[in-house]
Amino acid sequence: MKRLTCFFICFFLSEVSGFEIPINGLSEFVDYEDLVELAPGKFQLVAENRRYQRSLPGESEEMMEEVDQVTLYSYKVQSTITSRMATTMIQSKVVNNSPQPQNVVFDVQIPKGAFISNFSMTVDGKTFRSSIKEKTVGRALYAQARAKGKTAGLVRSSALDMENFRTEVNVLPGAKVQFELHYQEVKWRKLGSYEHRIYLQPGRLAKHLEVDVWVIEPQGLRFLHVPDTFEGHFDGVPVISKGQQKAHVSFKPTVAQQRICPNCRETAVDGELVVLYDVKREEKAGELEVFNGYFVHFFAPDNLDPIPKNILFVIDVSGSMWGVKMKQTVEAMKTILDDLRAEDHFSVIDFNQNIRTWRNDLISATKTQVADAKRYIEKIQPSGGTNINEALLRAIFILNEANNLGLLDPNSVSLIILVSDGDPTVGELKLSKIQKNVKENIQDNISLFSLGMGFDVDYDFLKRLSNENHGIAQRIYGNQDTSSQLKKFYNQVSTPLLRNVQFNYPHTSVTDVTQNNFHNYFGGSEIVVAGKFDPAKLDQIESVITATSANTQLVLETLAQMDDLQDFLSKDKHADPDFTRKLWAYLTINQLLAERSLAPTAAAKRRITRSILQMSLDHHIVTPLTSLVIENEAGDERMLADAPPQDPSCCSVENDPHFIIYLPKSQKNICFNIDSEPGKILNLVSDPESGIVVNGQLVGAKKPNNGKLSTYFGKLGFYFQSEDIKIEISTETITLSHGSSTFSLSWSDTAQVTNQRVQISVKKEKVVTITLDKEMSFSVLLHRVWKKHPVNVDFLGIYIPPTNKFSPKAHGLIGQFMQEPKIHIFNERPGKDPEKPEASMEVKGQKLIITRGLQKDYRTDLVFGTDVTCWFVHNSGKGFIDGHYKDYFVPQLYSFLKRP
């Protein structure tokens, strides 16, 4: 009997209805009588009754059959946006044409903050459907399935713009598999438009690839544009049809068009399809829509002059900001300062263990003052600890004093923008006390925005700090362009158009009103309010909005009829008749999540938690408090979407030692172990051209376990030859040697040392970060064990982020992978262990048998680690590393590797 052998799911999450897929192109849009042509020449436009070109049987299909033993029969995406409420379905159909079992992967990215509403898959006639469960219930069901030898999935968190949902299933020869994922999101207006992004990553050529986006906006479309995001490869392929209130975007490349080059097997469909649009607006109280017992109110009037702002930039310049983070922060700040208007007032506060101000008072943003502030920022040299509490209190004092003395324009708004990458290490260290201090001192008309820099920042603390003080927080990752992210965030929050916005719905039957949590109205966003009403008592909704715009007090009234919208939506089969309910649920759950993080008591937090859980179950959406359980009809094979995240580094080494090599071009983790002896020194990086060496000395466990003596890195050595600096890190001390001078630190310290181009930053009992030239960094993690443990000993782990700063001559067990080798993984099949499938890998002229499994990454959880999926190379990495692992032995802790 055919049987499902193995499951694996990964879903990267920060905070989570079926459709028919039409195949006849615009014949689905024949009722759009007012279609017009757009942008002739850039994108092909067709009349509504024209069919799209499709892949034809014959040569193209025969060529595709040669590409892979697994055939992607179809890859379809359908998005429907009804009044800014977007529902997206991604469907993939795959056939295993191989005579061997194969692993089939469904890997998609969804926008950050979207709620998953449904997932299903059918494997050779066996259907697996999803349900939403409270997280503890979901984990219990998962444990039951795992106990029976079945496997399940993991949900992982990533606070980037996109999140990853990955499912892997092993199927028998001839089997057919269909995956289908549904998610929903609200489109927020940013910088004058709405942006809908669909990440397309089919992974291989698809016989039928179809993407359809329908936009239905009762308020009317002002413009709609599809930018070229594929560097001209699909020029003419997207087809846009636009009416007054509706539009359709179709993307259906043939197999030949999908190829990255005419004779290539790889697909060029690997990126984002982006749809930008805006709706027509009048100088009134926005758009009020009522339908099916819910109403939604969009408020983003145009043609308003920006309100003057008073802004304090509070910049962390502690030692941990040294390097790329500070360099990019300075560049971004220079651009941001240029954007200030003459009527704005500002100052800059930079802090480590001490607090400095560029000016003690708010200064008018004249060209002369802006230029002086830029010169001040350019001279900042990060060092020392982090005193967040005093820095924020200083910023609040400056704004409060200026307001109390009557120095601020009464029609202006006041902002604090905090940029920091770490926890407080100096002054007040208790986070709850810092929150209390800020809340007690900040005036109600000040908004606090926070930018968390890097992977190890306490982002939850920054979110709470901002949310309870009328602002928002955002995380910026150091492995991305910090400068552009910082500027994007600033543009979103720094153009206030309205203040003191108040909504009033003079109906006793209007209940459960909620809105997106934004204190002021900013030019990059809009205010959205949603609520319930009793259709039996009301056939219309009235709103009254009061707000201040520049020097003008606005009183805006709107009346919305039920019948008008119902008549409009009933005429369009692509419109989502449930959009008002979904939007209300989306806003309400997000608002409750924000309130939960700020709950003053445990009882209040429990009450809010119960409300979130109930709404998640009622509306079938995945939230941080629920899990997505996927199971077959019998309930004996089960998957779970639930677990913590991890972000890829280039390379990491932990106990035994385990090597995890992340290959960014292939987007694969390749792992191997080195089984050696205590006392041996292994070269990790040797770059004679750059003069950089990283070596590790092994220590052994106290005694063998199951006949095997485990080994670990007990000491690491870093040598920077051009600076004549040597750094020795053991489980007890950190020692810096420069010439004849030596300086030592303990793991019990939190400190920072800078010597020429090298900086060492120590976070107490956790991590040492070594930064070279502000552009290259190494992280060493300390693992403590119970001193009386009969077997284990303290050890070190090392993480090296991706970088192109090593020379082409770099080598070593890790250094050789700075020049990424080309790999090809194929013929995936069941392994001896059902949970660990096997595959073949071609690399460096070798053909290896590899096994899929889990390794531990300890960057965010020093105690238990986080499971990272990777392909494991046996025999101490033989075939994947150059030569034999014994070729990497070196005689001393600072020796360069001698290559044959």
Side-chain angles (χ1 to χ4, degrees):
M1 183 178 78
K2 293 184 178 179
R3 184 171 181 80
L4 185 63
T5 318
C6 176
F7 297 113
F8 187 76
I9 279 191
C10 293
F11 166 44
F12 294 86
L13 173 74
S14 70
E15 305 262 327
V16 274
S17 326
F19 296 97
E20 285 186 354
I21 306 295
I23 60 174
N24 295 325
L26 286 179
S27 59
E28 295 289 334
F29 233 62
V30 293
D31 55 331
Y32 289 21
E33 298 178 358
D34 55 354
L35 292 177
V36 296
E37 292 194 355
L38 298 176
K42 184 58 179 175
F43 294 109
Q44 177 189 0
L45 289 115
V46 297
E48 64 253 36
N49 59 354
R50 177 173 173 178
R51 293 176 179 267
Y52 297 119
Q53 184 179 0
R54 302 291 302 281
S55 300
L56 299 175
E59 182 181 355
S60 64
E61 293 192 7
E62 291 173 5
M63 291 176 64
M64 197 170 66
E65 296 280 14
E66 298 173 1
V67 174
D68 208 323
Q69 293 174 320
V70 173
T71 300
L72 178 57
Y73 179 76
S74 71
Y75 189 88
K76 299 179 179 180
V77 181
Q78 184 182 59
S79 277
T80 299
I81 306 172
T82 306
S83 287
R84 278 76 104 200
M85 186 70 220
T87 301
T88 300
M89 185 277 297
I90 302 176
Q91 182 193 80
S92 175
K93 294 182 179 180
V94 179
V95 180
N96 180 13
N97 294 320
S98 167
Q100 302 294 327
Q102 296 289 326
N103 276 14
V104 175
V105 177
F106 178 67
D107 191 352
V108 301
Q109 289 191 348
I110 66 173
K112 180 179 180 295
F115 285 151
I116 288 180
S117 57
N118 197 12
F119 173 74
S120 64
M121 68 179 187
T122 302
V123 183
D124 210 22
K126 182 186 291 187
T127 300
F128 291 75
R129 304 189 187 280
S130 64
S131 59
I132 307 296
K133 303 291 184 183
E134 192 270 329
K135 185 159 286 190
T136 57
V137 175
R139 287 177 176 171
L141 291 172
Y142 169 77
Q144 291 173 10
R146 193 173 182 86
K148 295 178 181 178
K150 310 302 176 185
T151 60
L154 306 171
V155 174
R156 300 178 181 259
S157 240
S158 173
L160 300 172
D161 286 345
M162 303 295 281
E163 299 156 353
N164 184 252
F165 184 98
R166 176 186 172 93
T167 308
E168 184 171 323
V169 57
N170 187 274
V171 296
L172 297 174
K176 299 176 181 179
V177 185
Q178 175 177 307
F179 304 99
E180 190 167 300
L181 177 72
H182 297 252
Y183 63 88
Q184 57 194 48
E185 55 177 323
V186 173
K187 301 283 98 180
W188 302 109
R189 190 170 188 256
K190 297 179 181 179
L191 304 180
S193 66
Y194 300 96
E195 180 182 77
H196 187 58
R197 300 162 63 193
I198 300 174
Y199 193 83
L200 302 176
Q201 192 181 26
R204 49 170 56 90
L205 299 173
K207 287 189 175 183
H208 307 283
L209 194 154
E210 303 177 5
V211 181
D212 291 285
V213 180
W214 283 272
V215 181
I216 298 104
E217 291 288 354
Q219 194 170 344
L221 291 168
R222 187 166 68 88
F223 72 84
L224 185 141
H225 172 56
V226 179
D228 180 6
T229 53
F230 291 95
E231 299 181 349
H233 186 92
F234 296 105
D235 191 26
V237 176
V239 178
I240 307 172
S241 303
K242 176 180 174 296
Q244 293 297 317
Q245 298 167 298
K246 309 171 187 179
H248 177 220
V249 176
S250 172
F251 178 75
K252 301 183 181 181
T254 64
V255 173
Q257 290 170 327
Q258 293 173 46
R259 296 183 188 278
I260 200 166
C261 67
N263 296 317
C264 291
R265 296 180 176 184
E266 294 84 8
T267 177
V269 184
D270 187 2
E272 293 178 326
L273 180 69
V274 178
V275 178
L276 296 172
Y277 76 93
D278 196 16
V279 299
K280 295 178 180 178
R281 302 179 188 280
E282 300 177 12
E283 294 184 6
K284 60 178 184 179
E287 177 188 6
L288 184 60
E289 298 177 354
V290 295
F291 193 66
N292 281 353
Y294 295 86
F295 72 88
V296 59
H297 196 162
F298 301 96
F299 187 57
D302 280 341
N303 304 320
L304 297 177
D305 293 330
I307 295 175
K309 56 184 175 287
N310 317 300
I311 185 166
L312 261 296
F313 298 98
V314 183
I315 303 172
D316 183 348
V317 296
S318 61
S320 57
M321 284 288 288
W322 197 80
V324 178
K325 284 189 282 191
M326 194 71 244
K327 180 180 179 181
Q328 293 189 332
T329 298
V330 168
E331 291 304 310
M333 283 300 304
K334 288 161 64 176
T335 302
I336 288 169
L337 290 173
D338 283 333
D339 289 339
L340 293 174
R341 297 156 59 95
E343 58 268 30
D344 297 331
H345 291 76
F346 78 107
S347 189
V348 177
I349 295 175
D350 59 296
F351 70 96
N352 44 31
Q353 71 270 23
N354 302 311
I355 314 300
R356 298 194 312 161
T357 56
W358 167 68
R359 294 287 189 273
N360 289 324
D361 302 309
L362 289 168
I363 302 298
S364 179
T366 64
K367 290 183 178 180
T368 301
Q369 298 293 354
V370 166
D372 188 68
K374 288 162 70 174
R375 286 191 294 269
Y376 176 85
I377 291 171
E378 287 174 340
K379 294 178 182 178
I380 289 175
Q381 292 295 323
S383 63
T386 307
N387 193 339
I388 293 178
N389 184 69
E390 289 301 322
L392 288 175
L393 292 181
R394 178 73 62 86
I396 292 168
F397 174 80
I398 292 174
L399 284 170
N400 286 350
E401 185 179 53
N403 186 53
N404 295 337
L405 294 175
L407 302 178
L408 303 182
D409 184 334
N411 293 309
S412 63
V413 295
S414 298
L415 319 172
I416 296 173
I417 295 183
L418 169 67
V419 181
S420 179
D421 77 331
D423 296 334
T425 61
V426 178
E428 180 58 63
L429 303 182
K430 193 173 181 181
L431 301 184
S432 59
K433 180 63 175 176
I434 296 175
Q435 286 178 244
K436 182 179 179 182
N437 290 342
V438 170
K439 189 65 178 174
E440 288 179 349
N441 286 276
I442 198 169
Q443 294 183 0
D444 194 53
N445 62 344
I446 299 174
S447 296
L448 172 59
F449 299 94
S450 302
L451 278 166
M453 309 281 285
F455 297 100
D456 55 352
V457 65
D458 191 336
Y459 182 61
D460 287 339
F461 164 63
L462 294 182
K463 279 179 64 177
R464 292 193 301 271
L465 197 61
S466 293
N467 287 346
E468 67 182 7
N469 293 292
H470 315 305
I472 57 175
Q474 181 168 311
R475 190 172 192 168
I476 290 180
Y477 286 82
N479 63 349
Q480 295 197 330
D481 186 350
T482 301
S483 178
S484 64
Q485 292 181 82
L486 201 159
K487 286 183 286 189
K488 183 178 179 181
F489 178 78
Y490 174 78
N491 289 336
Q492 178 184 346
V493 304
S494 66
T495 312
L497 299 177
L498 294 172
R499 61 186 181 88
N500 302 326
V501 183
Q502 295 183 351
F503 291 79
N504 181 34
Y505 301 93
H507 298 285
T508 56
S509 296
V510 171
T511 61
D512 298 322
V513 177
T514 187
Q515 71 183 70
N516 60 319
N517 189 25
F518 229 76
H519 179 55
N520 295 300
Y521 173 78
F522 293 85
S525 185
E526 68 182 334
I527 298 175
V528 181
V529 182
K532 294 180 179 179
F533 72 98
D534 186 348
K537 297 180 181 179
L538 293 173
D539 59 2
Q540 63 186 26
I541 295 289
E542 179 185 358
S543 74
V544 179
I545 299 178
T546 58
T548 302
S549 171
N551 297 318
T552 306
Q553 183 72 20
L554 304 177
V555 179
L556 308 166
E557 299 182 8
T558 298
L559 184 69
Q561 305 283 345
M562 286 180 57
D563 294 340
D564 297 341
L565 186 60
Q566 185 170 352
D567 183 62
F568 172 79
L569 294 177
S570 65
K571 295 179 180 178
D572 193 289
K573 61 182 173 181
H574 297 293
D576 184 355
D578 212 18
F579 81 94
T580 49
R581 181 188 63 82
K582 291 179 181 177
L583 201 150
W584 173 80
Y586 184 98
L587 289 179
T588 302
I589 289 176
N590 275 295
Q591 183 67 30
L592 288 171
L593 288 169
E595 292 176 3
R596 181 176 182 269
S597 69
L598 303 174
T601 65
K605 189 171 186 176
R606 287 193 297 270
R607 176 180 53 79
I608 298 171
T609 299
R610 286 194 296 269
S611 298
I612 296 171
L613 287 173
Q614 192 58 52
M615 286 202 66
S616 300
L617 299 173
D618 290 346
H619 297 273
H620 201 272
I621 51 181
V622 180
T623 67
L625 304 180
T626 55
S627 296
L628 186 72
V629 177
I630 304 128
E631 56 188 350
N632 62 356
E633 292 181 0
D636 59 353
E637 293 185 280
R638 188 173 291 140
M639 295 179 291
L640 175 72
D642 178 33
Q646 209 34 251
D647 306 293
S649 64
C650 157
C651 314
S652 59
V653 187
E654 289 291 349
N655 53 309
D656 282 352
H658 301 317
F659 288 75
I660 305 176
I661 308 296
Y662 175 66
L663 303 178
K665 293 180 181 177
S666 304
Q667 295 188 339
K668 301 288 186 184
N669 285 316
I670 308 297
C671 299
F672 60 92
N673 293 348
I674 297 295
D675 296 316
S676 189
E677 307 166 15
K680 295 293 185 182
I681 301 175
L682 293 170
N683 174 254
L684 305 179
V685 178
S686 178
D687 189 353
E689 189 170 302
S690 301
I692 299 173
V693 167
V694 182
N695 292 326
Q697 186 170 29
L698 299 175
V699 295
K702 295 175 182 176
K703 63 180 181 180
N705 186 22
N706 295 325
K708 179 180 180 295
L709 182 68
S710 296
T711 56
Y712 313 86
F713 279 128
K715 188 180 293 183
L716 290 165
F718 298 81
Y719 179 32
F720 302 102
Q721 189 177 43
S722 60
E723 281 70 40
D724 192 21
I725 291 177
K726 297 176 180 178
I727 303 167
E728 178 183 305
I729 302 177
S730 71
T731 56
E732 301 299 328
T733 59
I734 302 100
T735 304
L736 168 66
S737 300
H738 181 217
S740 59
S741 61
T742 301
F743 180 82
S744 293
L745 292 169
S746 166
W747 277 102
S748 61
D749 298 323
T750 292
Q752 171 269 323
V753 178
T754 302
N755 192 313
Q756 299 182 44
R757 298 164 56 208
V758 179
Q759 185 190 64
I760 306 172
S761 177
V762 183
K763 183 176 285 189
K764 182 179 179 179
E765 292 294 324
K766 289 184 179 180
V767 62
V768 172
T769 302
I770 300 173
T771 307
L772 174 66
D773 258 353
K774 303 183 181 182
E775 295 181 334
M776 183 186 299
S777 65
F778 308 86
S779 296
V780 178
L781 270 62
L782 174 65
H783 297 272
R784 292 282 193 216
V785 300
W786 179 42
K787 291 185 181 296
K788 296 182 180 181
H789 195 286
V791 177
N792 296 341
V793 296
D794 295 346
F795 67 96
L796 303 172
I798 180 171
Y799 294 79
I800 304 178
T803 178
N804 58 2
K805 300 303 178 182
F806 289 107
S807 80
K809 294 184 179 180
H811 209 262
L813 285 168
I814 290 177
Q816 63 188 291
F817 299 105
M818 296 302 166
Q819 307 293 323
E820 182 174 334
K822 186 176 181 180
I823 66 170
H824 176 50
I825 297 176
F826 60 98
N827 191 22
E828 297 178 23
R829 54 196 180 272
K832 296 178 182 178
D833 184 338
E835 294 190 11
K836 295 181 179 180
E838 291 183 350
S840 300
M841 179 173 74
E842 293 177 351
V843 58
K844 299 181 178 180
Q846 306 278 343
K847 185 175 179 180
L848 311 176
I849 303 300
I850 56 178
T851 303
R852 185 159 195 142
L854 300 174
Q855 290 281 35
K856 291 292 186 183
D857 189 325
Y858 291 90
R859 278 175 296 164
T860 58
D861 188 336
L862 268 173
V863 180
F864 300 106
T866 300
D867 288 331
V868 174
T869 60
C870 67
W871 286 105
F872 187 82
V873 180
H874 303 274
N875 301 320
S876 294
K878 184 177 180 181
F880 182 59
I881 64 173
D882 294 336
H884 192 274
Y885 81 89
K886 292 184 178 180
D887 298 336
Y888 297 87
F889 288 166
V890 291
Q892 305 293 332
L893 196 60
Y894 303 113
S895 299
F896 281 90
L897 179 66
K898 293 183 179 180
R899 299 184 61 188

